[in-house]
Amino acid sequence: MNKQKWTCLLVALALIGGTGVALNRMKANQKLGEPGIKTAAIPGSKRMDVYLPPKVLDYNSVVIPTDINVLNGLPQDTSFAQRRYTAPDGDIMLCNIVLMGTDRTSIHKPQFCLTGSGWIISDANSSADVIHMERPAPYDLPVMKLVSSREFKPPGQSSSFTVHGIYVYWFVADHELTESHWARMRRMSAHLLATGELQRWAYVSYFAVCQPGDEAKTYDRMKKFISASVPEFQLTVGAPAVRALSAQAALR
């Protein structure tokens, strides 16, 4: 190996070593940002108590305990909240929040969870959207809407039938909103490098099941429910002007 190659190798090794030291030092000194949702400390726990309203419009709710496999599989400072809301006519809406702690791997790409549960996502019918909010001030909430389907076989029955699911999600941190997983990752990295603060992102999702052909009606109902429920737990508010959808949203 000639002198020039040796020099390049030594420089590369120095850069790798220096980067490792810098990253370790940054991790040791990094601050954790404030969440963009309502939380309270749980005495003796690394987790936070994440708030969801017990009643929204004419929907009553029950708390759904977090699965033990989820609790054990994610970092111990990851926080959760989940409620099942039921209207007088039997309509059901599920709301789920996952709040990261010091480990950014707490939040995965949402599509993985949906497909892992047996739902097949229709890319042709899924898209980024905005839901208009009136409280606490008028703004447009950026969301991702996924339309999916699944075969369901009732217990004791020999035949199955197809149901469709509407899954709406977004990500929120202190003064940050996006419907794009990639935009969230990019903003989190840029903010950490610029300030030394790790943004504490939350992943908010709503899910409703419907019959094939009822997707538009179900989504309209979900938008009304989201508009009524989000101001009860979300602290971050979007810009008053109509927001452009994230360019990265197409990548989902």
Side-chain angles (χ1 to χ4, degrees):
M1 184 179 292
N2 60 35
K3 184 176 180 180
Q4 184 178 8
K5 290 182 178 180
W6 272 113
T7 301
C8 291
L9 177 60
L10 290 173
V11 170
L13 291 173
L15 288 172
I16 292 171
T19 300
V21 171
L23 289 175
N24 286 332
R25 183 174 298 173
M26 181 180 294
K27 185 173 183 179
N29 297 325
Q30 75 182 14
K31 301 172 293 182
L32 187 60
E34 293 295 322
I37 55 176
K38 293 181 180 179
T39 61
I42 300 176
S45 175
K46 295 181 180 179
R47 303 188 194 278
M48 302 291 289
D49 181 16
V50 177
Y51 177 77
L52 279 174
K55 185 175 179 65
V56 177
L57 300 175
D58 58 349
Y59 289 73
N60 291 312
S61 74
V62 295
V63 173
I64 301 178
T66 304
D67 187 274
I68 189 65
N69 294 319
V70 174
L71 291 173
N72 293 334
L74 290 177
Q76 294 303 299
D77 60 354
T78 308
S79 304
F80 308 90
Q82 187 173 27
R83 281 184 177 269
R84 180 175 65 245
Y85 294 87
T86 306
D89 64 359
D91 185 61
I92 293 176
M93 207 81 64
L94 294 176
C95 181
N96 184 70
I97 298 178
V98 180
L99 175 65
M100 64 173 277
T102 56
D103 191 329
R104 68 188 71 189
T105 62
S106 298
I107 299 178
H108 305 284
K109 190 175 181 182
Q111 284 77 0
F112 294 158
C113 299
L114 197 59
T115 55
S117 299
W119 292 87
I120 300 173
I121 299 171
S122 171
D123 290 332
N125 295 314
S126 301
S127 62
D129 196 9
V130 293
I131 297 177
H132 185 70
M133 309 293 293
E134 287 292 345
R135 295 186 296 133
Y139 73 97
D140 289 328
L141 175 70
V143 303
M144 185 65 67
K145 179 189 72 172
L146 302 181
V147 179
S148 59
S149 62
R150 182 180 181 180
E151 289 296 310
F152 179 72
K153 185 177 180 181
Q157 300 293 321
S158 59
S159 59
S160 62
F161 58 92
T162 301
V163 293
H164 284 188
I166 311 297
Y167 192 74
V168 178
Y169 71 85
W170 66 93
F171 305 97
V172 55
D174 188 25
H175 303 299
E176 288 276 10
L177 284 170
T178 182
E179 78 288 359
S180 168
H181 170 76
W182 301 113
R184 175 184 70 84
M185 295 294 290
R186 186 178 66 248
R187 292 182 194 179
M188 182 169 57
S189 298
H191 186 84
L192 179 60
L193 289 172
T195 68
E197 179 185 77
L198 179 63
Q199 290 176 314
R200 194 163 195 172
W201 285 90
Y203 157 41
V204 183
S205 64
Y206 288 76
F207 184 67
V209 175
C210 65
Q211 296 294 325
D214 288 344
E215 294 85 2
K217 181 175 68 176
T218 301
Y219 183 49
D220 283 342
R221 194 165 187 172
M222 291 181 75
K223 287 191 290 186
K224 292 183 177 67
F225 186 90
I226 291 171
S227 295
S229 60
V230 167
E232 302 300 322
F233 68 83
Q234 185 165 290
L235 302 174
T236 297
V237 176
V242 176
R243 297 170 59 97
L245 296 178
S246 302
Q248 292 288 342
L251 301 176
R252 289 203 303 277

